[in-house]
Structures are given as C-alpha cells and as structure tokens.
C-alpha cells in the first residue's frame, strides 16, 4: 500500500525522520554543487534537475528549521534559553569555519581583507564557501526569537514573519545580492505554519476515513503542482520562490504517504543526517580548491569521488575537533548550564 496510516501522529515528522531527511538533503546539495563545479553536460533534463536541486533542498532545510523551532517553542523556557542553547553554539561554530576558510584561502593565495573578515561575521558576504546559508539562517533565527518572544498569537506571528521576509527579499534584491540569499526563505514560515496546524493537517492526511484513492489523488496533485512550478522557476524569480514552497509540500506529503520506509529512513541515512551541517559546510573546502585549480589535472570522476569521500571524512573528523573545542569553551562561558 502506498499510503500508510501512522498510529502515532508525532512520528510522521519525528526527530528520527527529520534527521534522515536532512541526510538525504545534504547529499542532494552535494550533488548540486558537484554538477556545477564539474562542468559536465548530462543532457537537458538532468542538467536542469541538478541545477534546481540546490535551492529546492535549501528550501527543505528552511522548512525543517521553521518546523522544529515552532515545535520547540512550545516547551517551557525554550525562548528564554534560545540564544544560549541554540544561537550562540551555531554562531560560534560558524566563526570557527571563518577561521578555517580564511587560512585555506591564504594558503591558496586568495586575497581577502579585514573588511571581508568582518563582513563574514555579519552579513552579505562570507569567506566561508556557501556561508550565505548560515548567515541567512542566523537572520531567520533572530526574527523567530524576536517575533515569538513579543507576539503571543500564532497567526500574527506568521503574518509578521512573512511580511518581514518579504521586506528582507526586497532589500536583498535592491542591494544586488544573488537570489540564493532569499529565493527559498519563505519555506521557513511555511514550516512554522505546518507545525502550528499539524493536528488539522494530520487529521486530513492520516485519517482512515479518506480512501486510498483520494490520498493518492492528493499526492499526485502535489506532484503535478511541484513540477509545474519548478518548470516555471526558469521563467521568473517569483515562480522560483513559489516552486520552493511547492516542493516542500510535495516532499512532506510524500513523507506522510510512504511512512518510514527503510529505503529512505534507515541507520545509514540517519547517520548522514547527524553530519548534515558538516557535510554542507565542509564540501566548500574541496569546491574552493577546485576553483583555484588544485584538481586541474584530475579527471571529473576523480574530482567527484574525491570530493564525496573527502567531505564525509573531513565532516566526521572536524565534528570531533569542534566538539573538543566547544565543550570546555561552553563550560567556561556557562552556556551548558
């Protein structure tokens, strides 16, 4: 049966499931960048699929962040400890990345200034390859905390956040930032919306009163809308932004449909999910070297295989390195209390 009825509603987007989803998304982003940097021509269909895969996967990451933050905000004291427990550890890790990338770029004879270094720690540019994602995520975190700490009504929170992101998108466009900075951000409030309305959504998608044929029809409509908007993404920026939201809908409805099938939700994928952030940020080390000609004499296959294996290895090692740095530092700063 394609659609499986979940006995526990919280299990549909459980921590285990979302961690597996992050593992899959990390691989999708890596495939997207390998396609871009390898310069191979795989034909019209695959070229456009891999090109679109980047912003669509980022949109899913935003969705999961918005969803997770909203669910977590229901816990007593979460908002009061948000900066100490969530924001500062992630920002400290990002600062650590800035140091690593600054050193690498010096070693590769890439010039950067003190102003570049300072801007990397704020917004708009980063020495960290793909660092725009984390800079945008920090902004989303701040907006989340301010809005959820000051506005008690969920509908008003969502409206305020959505309007704020519309203003943010217009400002990014006016400042000449690439569309990657904002084209997928509306998936963040969409994740919040899903978390707020989860009881109703679960009732609609999981209730046994709906026949399997109707559920398949719902999934098929989501599929058609998603691919129609993805095709439209090559027409205008607005349709591209809409396609990111449609894609998240398709992915999440598919998750409701297939349950925790071992094909996508297993221990290997879950393990990758625990390193999804590291896979995202450390692949840039190899992409940076590729751009500087380090792999100039290598075949495309060797570059792709080397980057995949190297990214995973570096992610595992550097997570341990950062942990050994952060644990005593957090105790010193009394952030672990």
């Amino acid at each position: 049966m394609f659609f499986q009825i979940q006995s526990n509603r919280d299990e549909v987007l459980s921590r285990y499931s979302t961690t597996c989803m992050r593992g899959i998304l990390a691989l999708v982003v890596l495939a997207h960048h390998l396609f871009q940097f390898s310069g191979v021509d795989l034909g019209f269909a695959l070229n456009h699929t891999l090109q679109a895969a980047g912003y669509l996967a980022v949109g899913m990451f935003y969705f999961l962040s918005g969803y997770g933050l909203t669910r977590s905000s229901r816990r007593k004291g979460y908002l009061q400890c948000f900066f100490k427990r969530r924001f500062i550890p992630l920002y400290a890790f990002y600062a650590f990345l800035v140091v690593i990338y600054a050193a690498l770029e010096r070693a590769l004879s890439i010039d950067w200034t003190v102003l570049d270094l300072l801007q990397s720690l704020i917004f708009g540019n980063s020495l960290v390859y793909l660092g725009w994602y984390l800079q945008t995520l920090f902004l989303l975190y701040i907006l989340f905390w301010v809005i959820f700490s000051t506005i008690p009504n969920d509908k008003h929170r969502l409206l305020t956040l959505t309007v704020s992101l519309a203003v943010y998108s217009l400002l990014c466009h006016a400042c000449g930032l690439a569309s990657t900075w904002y084209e997928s951000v509306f998936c963040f409030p969409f994740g919040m919306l899903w978390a707020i309305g989860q009881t109703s959504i679960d009732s609609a998608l999981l209730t046994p009163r709906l026949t399997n044929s109707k559920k398949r029809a719902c999934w098929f409509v989501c599929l058609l809308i998603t691919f129609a908007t993805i095709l439209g993404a090559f027409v205008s920026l607005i349709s591209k932004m809409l396609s990111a939201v449609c894609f998240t809908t398709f992915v999440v409805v598919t998750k409701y449909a297939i349950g925790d099938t071992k094909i996508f939700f297993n221990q290997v994928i879950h393990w990758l999910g625990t390193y999804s952030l590291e896979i995202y940020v450390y692949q840039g080390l190899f992409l940076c070297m590729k751009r500087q000609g380090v792999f100039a004499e290598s075949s495309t296959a060797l570059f792709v295989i080397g980057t995949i294996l190297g990214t995973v290895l570096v992610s595992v090692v550097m997570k341990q390195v950062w942990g050994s740095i952060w644990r005593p530092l957090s105790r010193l700063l009394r952030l672990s209390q």
Side-chain angles (χ1 to χ4, degrees):
M1 184 186 302
F2 185 76
F3 280 82
Q4 302 174 357
I5 303 302
Q6 300 274 356
S7 59
N8 185 341
R9 290 176 176 176
D10 289 336
E11 292 301 315
V12 180
L13 292 175
S14 65
R15 183 181 293 274
Y16 175 83
S17 296
T18 54
T19 299
C20 289
M21 292 171 75
R22 289 180 183 276
I24 296 170
L25 293 170
L27 294 180
V28 170
V29 171
L30 180 56
H32 164 73
H33 289 126
L34 287 173
F35 163 72
Q36 287 186 320
F37 278 75
S38 63
V40 296
D41 184 358
L42 300 174
F44 180 84
L46 277 177
N47 286 349
H48 283 74
T49 299
L50 288 171
Q51 185 61 36
Y55 79 89
L56 295 175
V58 167
M60 267 306 302
F61 274 124
Y62 285 145
F63 174 91
L64 293 174
S65 294
Y67 175 85
L69 288 176
T70 303
R71 291 291 301 271
S72 298
S73 69
R74 305 313 195 206
R75 298 202 303 262
K76 184 178 179 180
Y78 182 81
L79 291 173
Q80 289 79 0
C81 297
F82 176 75
F83 271 89
K84 183 171 76 170
R85 298 286 176 82
R86 188 72 176 261
F87 186 90
I88 294 178
L90 183 59
Y91 186 81
F93 173 64
Y94 174 69
F96 172 68
L97 291 174
V98 171
V99 174
I100 290 177
Y101 273 88
L104 174 67
E105 291 175 15
R106 282 294 192 204
L108 294 174
S109 301
I110 301 175
D111 292 329
W112 51 262
T113 65
V114 174
L115 182 61
D116 294 327
L117 188 64
L118 292 175
Q119 192 173 12
S120 296
L121 297 172
I122 305 173
F123 189 81
N125 191 26
S126 180
L127 296 179
V128 179
Y129 259 53
L130 316 178
W132 61 267
Y133 168 75
L134 287 175
Q135 288 188 342
T136 304
L137 192 61
F138 293 140
L139 178 64
L140 293 174
Y141 275 11
I142 293 171
L143 284 174
F144 157 79
W145 181 80
V146 170
I147 291 171
F148 272 63
S149 297
T150 56
I151 301 176
N153 183 276
D154 283 335
K155 291 182 179 179
H156 294 162
R157 286 169 168 174
L158 278 173
L159 178 62
T160 304
L161 180 61
T162 303
V163 171
S164 299
L165 291 180
V167 173
Y168 161 76
S169 299
L170 291 173
L171 289 174
C172 286
H173 182 73
C175 293
L177 290 177
S179 63
T180 50
W181 289 81
Y182 54 90
E183 62 195 10
S184 302
V185 292
F186 289 98
C187 296
F188 185 79
F190 184 53
M192 292 181 167
L193 175 63
W194 199 284
I196 291 169
Q198 185 165 21
T199 301
S200 299
I201 295 171
D202 285 357
S203 296
L205 293 178
L206 299 178
T207 176
R209 289 176 295 180
L210 286 179
T211 63
N212 285 328
S213 60
K214 289 183 178 180
K215 291 178 181 180
R216 291 190 184 96
C218 174
W219 181 85
F220 187 67
V221 169
C222 289
L223 177 66
L224 288 180
I225 293 174
T226 298
F227 283 100
T229 52
I230 290 174
L231 290 175
F234 298 99
V235 177
S236 72
L237 178 58
I238 298 299
S239 60
K240 191 174 187 179
M241 297 170 80
L242 288 173
S243 71
V245 176
C246 289
F247 180 74
T248 60
T249 306
F250 167 67
V251 171
V252 179
V253 170
T254 300
K255 174 61 181 74
Y256 275 69
I258 65 177
D260 282 333
T261 172
K262 296 297 182 182
I263 297 174
F264 300 110
F265 302 93
N266 54 62
Q267 292 302 315
V268 174
I269 299 297
H270 184 268
W271 180 82
L272 285 173
T274 62
Y275 289 94
S276 59
L277 177 60
E278 287 76 17
I279 291 173
Y280 183 91
V281 297
Y282 288 122
Q283 65 184 264
L285 297 173
F286 298 90
L287 302 180
C288 180
M289 290 188 286
K290 170 67 173 178
R291 181 159 288 175
Q292 291 306 114
V294 173
F295 297 103
E297 302 300 323
S298 303
S299 66
T300 299
L302 186 61
F303 162 67
V304 170
I305 294 172
T307 299
I308 293 173
L309 295 178
T311 297
V312 174
L313 178 61
V314 170
S315 296
V316 172
V317 172
M318 293 306 293
K319 186 166 189 172
Q320 301 304 315
V321 171
W322 171 243
S324 66
I325 295 173
W326 176 245
R327 282 190 291 271
L329 183 59
S330 63
R331 287 195 294 268
L332 180 64
L333 299 174
R334 298 184 178 182
L335 296 176
S336 59
Q337 298 179 357

